[in-house]
Amino acid sequence: MTSPTAPDILVIGGAHVDRIGRSFARLEPGQSNPGRLRCSVGGVAGNVARGLARLDWQVALSTISGEDDDARFLKRQLESERINADLIITNPDKPSASYTAIEDRNGALDAAIADMDIYDSFSVEQIEVCIASLKQPTLILADTNLPADTLEQLVALKGDHRLAISAVSGPKANRAGDCLASLDLLFCNGAEAAILAQEFADPEALPEILMEDGVKSGIITRGDAGLTAWQGEKVWKLPAPPVKVRSTNGAGDCLCACVLHGHLLGLPFEKALAYGMAGANLALMSEQSVPDMLNRQMLDACLADIPQAETESQTS
């Protein structure tokens, strides 16, 4: 492992407090439902950083917070998980971002409010600070909570660094639209992929369209249907094994962290995909967005339940 001042990976984007309320019984709309509320670090960047830290990588995180109790909670929690938080910046004029969700008793999301306005003030100058802090070629994961011009500056300065982007959500996916040809890896779901490809007809055609747009490597998650991925001209499909779901919150972020874990290990892409699916399953089986049981030994043990990725096609 490298020293904390030379991280294995730099994660940039949304990291904030998640407040998740779950009903004890069937959720009744318009009623006060008995349940439990828990608070934890969330956000795509926050979850991915925490997942990679639990897999024993040296992680640096940059995000933007307010000057409030949520910001102090965030920094304490990140530092307790050995994540370098020196690149977190403060905007005293805005409250810290937050995510508040209501789940039914089975862990399915019923409704959520994402208060994320502060991320729009993440400046291009902070990207310059982040890149200047890296003393050697480094893997970078950014999410589309960052403004479009900030992502474009990241692409402009990436140099020898490898850059992955997570599309976060449909409304924010297009922020990465002008960066596609410069990415080393794209993470998105089917809806986000359709927005980025500007193609809403045939989901099966999305990988090829994104390849034509210059995306060298990518993963499209499809919920219960598993995932589709490509690297170069090769396309794979990986079905999702059956799993008893306790919560869907964080499963995509855990998949992202575990794919990047495989990438950092230097594994073939299809093996990294299996790691990603195993990580997603661990998250689905847990009420935590980043499961306490996530570690290298557990992840390796879960690979036995993951089907082999099948080559779907070879483009011409």
Side-chain angles (χ1 to χ4, degrees), residues 29 76 102 120 127 137 188 248:
R76 283 197 308 270
I102 300 298
D120 291 335
I127 288 295
C188 56
T248 58

Side-chain angles (χ1 to χ4, degrees), residues 166-296:
S166 175
V168 174
S169 69
K172 294 182 177 179
N174 258 341
R175 295 181 176 188
D178 291 334
C179 303
L180 296 181
S182 300
L183 302 185
D184 296 290
L185 181 57
L186 172 68
F187 293 92
C188 56
N189 62 26
E192 294 155 1
I195 289 169
L196 285 166
Q198 301 181 35
E199 172 61 64
F200 294 89
D202 182 7
E204 298 299 320
L206 292 175
E208 186 168 354
I209 293 169
L210 289 169
M211 283 186 231
E212 292 172 354
D213 287 339
V215 183
K216 303 174 186 69
S217 185
I219 298 170
I220 302 174
T221 57
R222 302 186 183 278
D224 292 344
L227 61 82
T228 303
W230 70 93
Q231 186 177 63
E233 297 181 341
K234 198 168 186 179
V235 180
W236 293 270
K237 276 195 172 181
L238 182 59
V243 61
K244 185 175 180 180
V245 176
R246 297 185 68 182
S247 175
T248 58
N249 187 41
D253 303 336
C254 204
L255 180 144
C256 178
C258 293
V259 168
L260 294 174
H261 168 67
H263 186 71
L264 288 164
L265 289 173
L267 298 177
F269 191 51
E270 56 268 35
K271 182 67 176 290
L273 296 177
Y275 270 126
M277 187 66 75
N281 277 9
L282 286 172
L284 290 168
M285 291 186 291
S286 170
E287 292 188 10
Q288 301 155 328
S289 55
V290 181
D292 285 341
M293 59 183 166
L294 178 64
N295 57 54
R296 291 195 180 196

Side-chain angles (χ1 to χ4, degrees), residues 153-177:
Q153 182 72 346
L154 177 56
V155 164
L157 296 177
K158 82 181 209 55
D160 293 332
H161 305 298
R162 293 163 292 164
L163 177 60
I165 283 185
S166 175
V168 174
S169 69
K172 294 182 177 179
N174 258 341
R175 295 181 176 188

Side-chain angles (χ1 to χ4, degrees), residues 52 61 121 187 266:
L52 285 161
L61 172 70
S121 62
F187 293 92

Side-chain angles (χ1 to χ4, degrees), residues 2 6 22 51 57 85 114 125 146 178 212 234 264 279 283 298:
T2 57
R22 178 177 294 188
W57 297 105
E125 290 79 13
L146 300 178
D178 291 334
E212 292 172 354
K234 198 168 186 179
L264 288 164
M298 177 62 75

